[in-house]
């Protein structure tokens, strides 16, 4: 028990007199610290939305420990081995009132803090003596994704990286909050939580390296969902395709241009007056959409449609509204009547995901509208506007039958009412929901601006004030259930806009309504890294070429190249902007062909990374400091990154054709020439990077399985043979893996897992599993960094039986041995390079010194 010491401060409401503290050592690397009201029940994130991880059984040996002082109360978390302090509230009193919680910790003076999204600030959050960085978590429709503002998602997790190790801190709280980072007087900085409700519920993750922390957080938040193989292909969408004939034209134009298009998407244009679960009978006739879907499937392509949560209140025209009203599944206002907001169709209501019938209602609407035979046989679904967004400012008291001129609403949307003009008459004596004592730095004046009002009441009695940040994730959960009800045997593919911690176990995420400019091109990298490496939402990407504004040919070409190294790769833009499909400009078409060809050759490497993420939380893409945690020069790098753990991507960042990159002290190989490079641990320039090029390096120590060539569809790609690229590290060893399955099934009947290990002169390939590879084989094995022609290459089965080598070629200029073979993917074997003799150091021929680049 924590008893209030001395006179209360009552700075943002009356301090609670008695609190309850519970500390739980859950595993050897995780401690949970929970502080709440000792007497009255307070809102906490429901278990149904965020299932709590179970503690490990005893015994275990904790690597972090909890310490506390009693008068005044303070606590700290330390590393057991070194007693290094990781979190310390000393000198910062805990403040705990009904609508305000302040918890503050000391940080190192030059702390490296990552996370606390969603945001478009720098990947490593700025900490400055003259400026407080405030990360506000309150999900909102955030067109333009402005830096320094709260965006679509809430992820109260941060990584603190130090040369001594990395740890993570996760605050499981869905209430609105400000998290403030600043340099204090003296030799330290601080991080301060300012939360407007809920409880303190902290998970401390010990690391000690960044990838360890990522994996530990995945255990807490849920392992990322497995994805269908085809979802890694190229996607195309636009808000503003005027009719289904224009959609047909886009599909045909991609084919004519020779640019592989895997999945065609359509936005709300298909809807009848933008009413969800309807189609425009004139511009998007049902039978014509069905023909497009049928043709796409016959051509081994895919189709996705958008669904918004807001349901138009037009009885008779909108069947979903009538059925939902009958089930009484809408979010209610404080008067007990369904809250009516304004979204694209005009007057709308919003599903209450806490209602026991809401998910079944949603699944039934999907079953009706997306029935594979009678409706639209979609392969995935895109959910938007689920913060939830509304175009209404409080008080928003519409009649369900109100006629709304949506065009006029959009013209006046930026006319924000002054704060003092809106007062609530629905407040209780104890709580002020609309004007809480502490005002978080929401980008809009009121919490209820352009969303469901905070005094709305859910079916189970919970207030929107507490659960607002959960709405998008709960819609994602309901949508996944609906997609599984349609096709129970297939992995659902869902892309959402609004998110909360843990949603990567259900869906993917796109980075929202960005702008076609170079700043936001660069923002997209940090945004991707945040979701993929910190928040455990690996299926993530931006709108390639930008959503709003007119992309230029050079920007779109560069973005086509960069986007190919994002897990989710989609070109999408706005009705008010010029079309930007990749075939529109010659330079963009060339860049897209190159980018997709590289991506598709690497698709199984990427798919394997996704499978590993699903198993243990290893990030699919990573910032450089994850691989080089002791190299301080990498800590602030956010425009170079690792695609998987074996490829370094260093994109051009502006109109110039020169790229400054940092190469850590390590061995690399150029992706195209395979030539060995020695990183000097310094910055250097890459000159003459054309629009259809991107600096791409293979990290030494990795083995990368890749298809020998690209294809127009992922189904055709899966028939292509493999090249195995062996890139020895500084110890002339390397390793890698490959995972194969049917690419779509929720439960796999059979799989194939292959491990690769190379040690100076010998490659060992070990295959396990019964997945039928349908004749796909290794056609080439390339071993890099070999400075002398081998006398021979011998390949044998585990039994010792020889395997024929078709051809051996040594590229003297680039120091690569290429071995042509024909070996089934399901075969285990060894390959051995034979040389005349070892060099003077006793090392293999690949190990002598090279000039540094």
């Amino acid at each position: 028990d924590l008893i209030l010491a001395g006179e209360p401060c009552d700075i943002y409401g009356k301090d609670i007199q008695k609190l309850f503290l519970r500390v739980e050592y859950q595993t050897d690397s995780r401690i949970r610290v929970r502080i709440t009201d000792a007497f009255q029940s307070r809102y906490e994130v429901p278990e149904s939305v965020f299932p709590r991880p179970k503690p490990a059984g005893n015994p275990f040996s904790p690597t972090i420990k909890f310490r506390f002082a009693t008068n005044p109360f303070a606590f700290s978390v330390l590393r057991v081995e070194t007693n290094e302090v990781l979190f310390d509230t000393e000198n910062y009193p805990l403040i705990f009132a009904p609508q305000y919680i302040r918890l503050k910790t000391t940080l190192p003076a030059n702390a490296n803090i990552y996370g606390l999204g969603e945001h478009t600030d720098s990947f490593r959050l700025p900490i400055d003596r003259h400026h407080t960085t405030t990360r506000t978590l309150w999900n909102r429709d955030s067109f333009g994704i402005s830096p320094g503002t709260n965006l679509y998602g809430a992820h109260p997790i941060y990584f603190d990286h130090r040369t001594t190790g990395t740890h993570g801190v996760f605050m499981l709280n869905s209430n609105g909050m400000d998290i403030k980072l600043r340099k204090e007087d003296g030799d330290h900085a601080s991080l301060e939580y300012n939360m407007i409700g809920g409880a303190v519920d902290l998970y401390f993750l010990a690391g000690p390296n960044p990838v360890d922390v990522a994996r530990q957080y995945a255990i807490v938040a849920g392992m990322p969902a497995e994805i269908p193989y085809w979802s890694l292909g190229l996607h195309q969408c636009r808000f503003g395709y005027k009719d289904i004939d224009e959609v047909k034209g886009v599909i045909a134009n991609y084919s004519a241009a020779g640019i592989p298009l895997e999945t065609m998407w359509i936005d709300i244009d298909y809807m009848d007056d933008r009413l969800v679960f309807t189609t425009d009978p004139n511009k998007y006739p049902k039978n014509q959409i069905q023909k497009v879907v049928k043709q796409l499937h016959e051509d081994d392509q895919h189709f996705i449609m958008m669904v918004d949560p807001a349901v138009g209140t037009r009885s008779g025209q909108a069947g979903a509204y009538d059925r939902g009203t009958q089930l009484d599944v809408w979010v209610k206002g404080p008067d007990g009547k369904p809250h009516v907001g304004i979204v694209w169709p005009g007057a709308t209501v919003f599903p209450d995901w806490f209602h026991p019938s809401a998910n079944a209602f949603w699944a039934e609407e999907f079953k009706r509208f997306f029935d594979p035979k009678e409706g639209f046989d979609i392969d995935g679904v895109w959910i938007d506007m689920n913060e939830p967004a509304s175009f209404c400012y409080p008080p928003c008291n519409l009649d369900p039958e109100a006629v709304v001129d949506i065009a006029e609403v959009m013209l006046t949307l930026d006319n924000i009412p002054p704060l003092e003009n809106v007062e609530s008459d629905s407040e209780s004596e104890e709580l002020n929901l609309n004007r809480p004592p502490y005002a978080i730095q929401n980008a809009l004046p009121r919490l209820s601006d352009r969303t469901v009002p905070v005094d709305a009441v859910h079916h189970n009695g919970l207030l929107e004030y507490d659960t607002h940040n959960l709405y998008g994730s709960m819609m994602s959960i309901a949508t996944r259930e609906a997609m599984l009800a349609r096709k129970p045997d297939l992995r659902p593919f869902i892309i959402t806009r609004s998110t909360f911690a843990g949603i990567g176990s259900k869906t993917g995420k796109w980075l929202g309504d960005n702008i076609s400019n170079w700043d936001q091109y660069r923002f997209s990298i940090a945004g991707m890294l945040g979701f993929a490496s910190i928040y455990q939402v690996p299926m993530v990407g931006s709108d390639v070429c930008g959503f709003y504004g007119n992309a230029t040919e050079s920007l779109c070409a560069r973005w086509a190249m960069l986007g190919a190294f994002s897990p989710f790769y989609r070109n999408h833009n706005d009705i008010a902007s010029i079309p930007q499909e990749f075939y529109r400009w010659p330079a963009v078409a060339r860049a897209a062909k190159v980018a997709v060809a590289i991506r598709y050759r690497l698709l199984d490497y990427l798919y394997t990374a996704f499978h590993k993420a699903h198993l243990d939380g290893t990030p699919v893409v990573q910032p450089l400091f994850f691989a080089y945690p002791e190299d301080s020069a990498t800590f602030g790098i956010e425009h170079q990154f690792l695609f998987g753990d074996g490829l370094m991507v260093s994109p051009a960042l502006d109109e110039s054709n020169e790229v400054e990159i940092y190469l850590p002290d390590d061995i690399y190989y150029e992706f195209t020439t395979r030539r060995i490079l020695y990183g000097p641990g310094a910055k250097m320039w890459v000159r003459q990077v054309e629009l259809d090029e991107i600096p791409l390096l293979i990290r030494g120590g990795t083995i990368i399985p890749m298809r020998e060539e690209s294809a127009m569809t992922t189904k055709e790609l899966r028939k292509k043979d493999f090249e195995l690229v062996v890139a020895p590290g500084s110890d002339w060893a390397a390793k890698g893996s490959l995972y194969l399955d049917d690419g779509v099934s929720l439960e796999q009947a059979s799989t194939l897992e292959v491990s690769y290990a190379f040690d100076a002169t010998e490659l060992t390939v070990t295959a396990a599993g019964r997945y039928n590879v349908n004749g796909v084989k290794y056609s080439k094995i390339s071993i890099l960094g070999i400075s002398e022609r081998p006398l021979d290459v011998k390949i044998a089965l585990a039994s010792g039986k020889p395997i024929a080598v078709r051809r051996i070629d040594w590229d003297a200029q680039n120091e690569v041995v290429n071995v042509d073979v024909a070996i089934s993917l399901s075969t285990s074997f060894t390959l051995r390079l034979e040389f005349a003799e070892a060099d003077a150091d006793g090392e293999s021929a690949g190990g002598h010194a090279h000039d540094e680049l």
Side-chain angles (χ1 to χ4, degrees):
D1 290 336
L2 306 178
I3 310 299
L4 189 67
E7 293 298 317
C9 299
D10 295 341
I11 184 170
Y12 294 116
K14 293 183 178 180
D15 290 348
I16 294 173
Q17 295 288 319
K18 189 174 183 180
L19 303 174
F20 176 75
L21 165 69
R22 179 181 176 86
V23 180
E24 188 175 21
Y25 284 68
Q26 295 194 322
T27 71
D28 60 356
S29 61
R30 186 175 77 235
I31 293 176
R32 183 183 182 189
V33 176
R34 184 168 167 267
I35 304 173
T36 190
D37 192 320
F39 295 122
Q40 294 191 357
S41 175
R42 288 177 64 84
Y43 165 78
E44 296 185 53
V45 177
E47 184 89 18
S48 60
V49 183
F50 192 100
R52 307 306 193 264
K54 305 304 180 188
N58 289 328
F60 53 85
S61 301
T63 55
I64 52 175
K65 58 187 176 182
F66 178 88
R67 293 288 181 267
F68 69 98
T70 57
N71 191 17
F73 171 72
F75 73 88
S76 57
V77 175
L78 301 83
R79 288 203 187 279
V80 169
E81 185 176 358
T82 63
N83 275 328
E84 179 184 15
V85 177
L86 308 181
F87 193 95
D88 186 6
T89 69
E90 186 180 6
N91 300 321
Y92 302 125
L94 170 67
I95 302 174
F96 206 119
Q99 286 184 272
Y100 179 70
I101 302 171
R102 197 282 295 268
L103 182 72
K104 187 172 181 179
T105 179
T106 299
L107 294 175
N110 298 305
N112 302 292
I113 304 296
Y114 311 85
L116 304 176
E118 177 180 4
H119 62 78
T120 47
D121 293 337
S122 58
F123 181 58
R124 179 176 62 178
L125 292 169
I127 301 178
D128 190 275
R129 189 176 302 280
H130 306 292
H131 171 74
T132 297
T133 294
T134 301
R135 291 295 320 116
T136 299
L137 305 188
W138 183 257
N139 296 355
R140 70 178 182 97
D141 179 359
S142 39
F143 179 85
I145 56 173
S146 298
T149 65
N150 50 308
L151 304 182
Y152 308 101
H155 295 268
I157 166 78
Y158 73 83
F159 287 19
D160 181 342
H161 179 66
R162 309 175 186 182
T163 55
T164 54
T166 312
H167 67 276
V169 181
F170 172 51
M171 176 70 80
L172 180 51
N173 183 306
S174 66
N175 286 82
M177 66 179 77
D178 287 339
I179 305 164
K180 298 184 177 183
L181 295 158
R182 64 168 69 91
K183 276 197 175 174
E184 305 284 357
D185 293 336
D187 60 351
H188 68 279
S190 66
L191 182 147
E192 177 184 285
Y193 296 95
N194 297 267
M195 305 181 292
I196 60 172
V200 172
D201 195 356
L202 288 165
Y203 290 82
F204 292 95
L205 310 171
N209 68 52
V211 174
D212 289 334
V213 179
R215 291 169 178 159
Q216 291 156 9
Y217 180 58
I219 294 171
V220 174
M223 295 296 172
E226 293 267 35
I227 58 167
Y229 184 93
W230 61 263
S231 69
L232 296 174
L234 173 64
H235 303 258
Q236 175 61 50
C237 187
R238 175 171 163 82
F239 173 29
Y241 288 136
K242 65 180 183 296
D243 54 33
I244 192 63
D245 288 334
E246 186 174 6
V247 174
K248 293 178 188 176
V250 169
I251 298 167
N253 288 339
Y254 266 98
S255 180
I259 303 171
L261 175 64
E262 186 68 20
T263 306
M264 189 70 209
W265 299 44
I266 53 176
D267 207 311
I268 59 174
D269 311 288
Y270 77 83
M271 299 177 186
D272 185 13
D273 206 14
R274 298 178 173 176
L275 290 163
V276 71
F277 301 121
T278 68
T279 56
D280 187 316
N282 299 313
K283 297 178 180 179
Y284 283 86
K286 179 178 179 179
N287 67 327
Q288 292 300 309
I289 299 176
Q290 289 172 325
K291 286 181 180 179
V292 168
V293 178
K294 184 174 184 290
Q295 187 62 54
L296 283 168
H297 289 168
E298 288 176 357
D299 294 337
D300 299 327
Q301 294 168 287
H302 298 85
F303 187 68
I304 287 177
M305 298 169 76
M306 172 185 274
V307 176
D308 288 341
V311 177
T313 58
R314 301 187 204 172
S315 184
Q317 184 181 0
Y321 173 65
D322 297 329
R323 290 185 288 272
T325 299
Q326 186 175 6
L327 293 169
D328 195 31
V329 296
W330 311 127
V331 174
K332 303 291 199 304
D335 60 359
K337 298 178 181 178
H339 166 71
V340 181
I342 300 174
V343 193
W344 294 116
T348 56
V349 288
F350 300 83
D352 178 0
W353 306 115
F354 286 105
H355 193 289
S357 299
N359 286 22
F361 156 75
W362 198 245
E364 180 63 26
E365 294 305 315
F366 268 62
K367 182 179 177 182
R368 288 171 178 268
F369 194 67
F370 296 125
D371 179 80
K373 294 182 179 179
E374 303 299 325
F376 304 106
D377 189 13
I378 57 172
D379 300 288
V381 67
W382 173 24
I383 52 178
D384 188 18
M385 304 291 285
N386 53 347
E387 291 71 36
S390 175
F391 304 141
C392 196
Y393 291 98
C396 191
N397 300 317
L398 274 74
D399 187 279
E401 298 182 5
V403 177
V404 177
D405 184 343
I406 197 67
E408 180 63 26
V409 169
M410 297 308 294
L411 287 173
T412 59
L413 193 61
D414 291 333
N415 297 340
I416 303 171
L419 184 63
E420 59 272 20
N421 288 356
V422 178
E423 297 292 344
S424 173
D425 57 3
S426 62
E427 308 292 358
S428 69
E429 291 182 3
E430 295 182 358
L431 301 178
N432 190 330
L433 301 179
N434 286 296
R435 301 284 290 274
Y438 176 86
I440 62 172
Q441 293 185 25
N442 184 23
L444 294 167
R446 288 160 293 271
L447 298 178
S448 297
D449 283 345
R450 288 164 52 177
T451 189
V452 169
V454 293
D455 56 3
V457 183
H458 292 281
H459 182 270
N460 57 359
L462 295 180
L463 296 169
E464 180 67 11
Y465 176 90
D466 295 311
T467 65
H468 169 82
N469 284 342
L470 303 178
Y471 194 91
S473 285
M474 295 189 72
M475 181 188 181
S476 297
I477 293 168
T479 302
R480 183 176 176 87
E481 292 178 6
M483 292 292 282
L484 284 170
R486 287 177 65 245
K487 296 185 178 182
D489 298 329
L490 299 184
R491 296 170 184 166
F493 179 65
I494 303 161
I495 294 293
T496 183
R497 188 169 79 174
S498 183
T499 59
F500 182 72
I503 200 54
S505 64
K506 308 294 182 184
T507 69
K509 149 79 180 173
W510 103 100
L511 294 173
D513 297 339
N514 59 356
I515 296 174
S516 296
N517 63 38
W518 288 100
D519 282 343
Q520 299 222 349
Y521 165 91
R522 292 185 289 270
F523 291 163
S524 72
I525 304 172
M528 171 189 70
L529 290 175
F531 275 92
S533 64
I534 307 293
Y535 313 139
Q536 284 294 344
V537 187
M539 192 60 178
V540 61
S542 67
D543 281 346
V544 171
C545 300
F547 176 73
Y548 179 74
N550 295 329
T552 64
E553 185 171 11
S554 60
L555 174 63
C556 198
R558 292 293 190 205
W559 218 326
M561 297 299 299
L562 172 60
F565 296 95
S566 177
F568 175 54
Y569 187 25
R570 184 185 67 169
N571 182 332
H572 174 52
N573 79 323
D574 176 58
I575 191 171
S577 308
I578 63 172
Q580 64 183 33
E581 291 84 5
F582 286 157
Y583 55 76
R584 297 281 179 179
W585 297 278
V588 178
R590 288 194 300 272
K593 289 179 184 179
V594 171
V596 174
I598 296 173
R599 179 184 177 89
Y600 277 27
R601 291 192 66 201
L602 293 166
L603 218 60
D604 296 87
Y605 163 79
L606 179 60
Y607 187 70
T608 300
F610 265 97
H611 179 65
K612 187 167 181 57
H614 173 70
L615 294 179
D616 68 7
T618 300
V620 170
V621 294
Q622 302 176 17
L624 294 194
F625 82 85
F626 273 42
Y628 304 100
E630 296 179 3
D631 184 350
S632 60
T634 66
F635 299 171
I637 292 176
E638 63 179 55
H639 296 138
Q640 294 174 250
F641 59 93
L642 298 176
F643 186 66
D645 61 1
L647 289 167
M648 181 189 293
V649 184
S650 304
L653 300 177
D654 51 36
E655 293 277 5
S656 77
N657 63 358
E658 297 183 337
V659 183
E660 185 181 43
I661 69 173
Y662 176 77
L663 275 189
D665 181 8
D666 202 351
I667 289 179
Y668 306 90
Y669 302 85
E670 290 182 344
F671 183 79
T672 51
T673 67
R674 311 288 171 80
R675 182 168 66 94
I676 191 169
L677 307 173
Y678 278 79
K683 292 182 179 180
M684 56 184 57
W685 287 94
V686 182
R687 312 289 184 184
Q688 299 300 317
V689 179
E690 302 301 330
L691 290 177
D692 59 356
E693 296 177 331
I694 188 167
L696 184 61
L697 299 176
I698 302 172
R699 282 184 67 213
T702 59
I703 298 176
I704 297 180
M706 63 176 74
R707 300 284 176 170
E708 63 177 358
E709 60 181 355
S710 183
M712 288 298 290
T713 65
T714 60
K715 184 173 182 178
E716 187 65 23
L717 181 70
R718 290 172 65 89
K719 301 174 185 177
K720 302 293 183 180
D721 289 338
F722 275 81
E723 175 187 5
L724 199 58
V725 179
V726 180
S730 57
D731 57 357
W732 294 99
K735 62 182 180 179
S737 62
L738 174 66
Y739 171 78
L740 291 175
D741 60 20
D742 70 14
V744 294
S745 296
L746 192 65
E747 299 292 336
Q748 292 293 328
S750 59
T751 63
L752 180 68
E753 297 188 57
V754 188
S755 64
Y756 308 107
F758 180 76
D759 185 9
T761 58
E762 186 167 286
L763 170 68
T764 302
V765 177
T766 306
R770 296 182 300 156
Y771 176 71
N772 184 357
V773 299
N774 293 310
V776 175
K777 60 186 180 297
Y778 300 105
S779 62
K780 180 192 285 189
I781 299 172
S782 299
I783 303 175
L784 316 187
I786 305 301
S787 60
E788 177 185 331
R789 180 189 296 274
L791 291 178
D792 199 2
V793 176
K794 293 186 177 180
I795 306 177
L797 296 172
S799 64
K801 181 180 179 181
I803 298 176
V805 174
R806 291 188 166 184
R807 189 172 73 95
I808 303 169
D809 173 69
W810 178 58
D811 180 345
Q813 180 179 355
N814 294 308
E815 301 182 338
V816 179
V817 172
N818 295 305
V819 184
D820 292 348
V821 296
I823 305 173
S824 171
L825 284 184
S826 57
T827 299
S828 298
F829 64 93
T830 59
L831 177 152
R832 182 168 181 82
L833 302 176
E834 295 190 348
F835 296 93
E837 59 184 31
D839 62 22
D841 295 328
E843 296 181 345
S844 72
H848 69 71
H850 289 252
D851 292 334
E852 290 190 353
L853 177 68

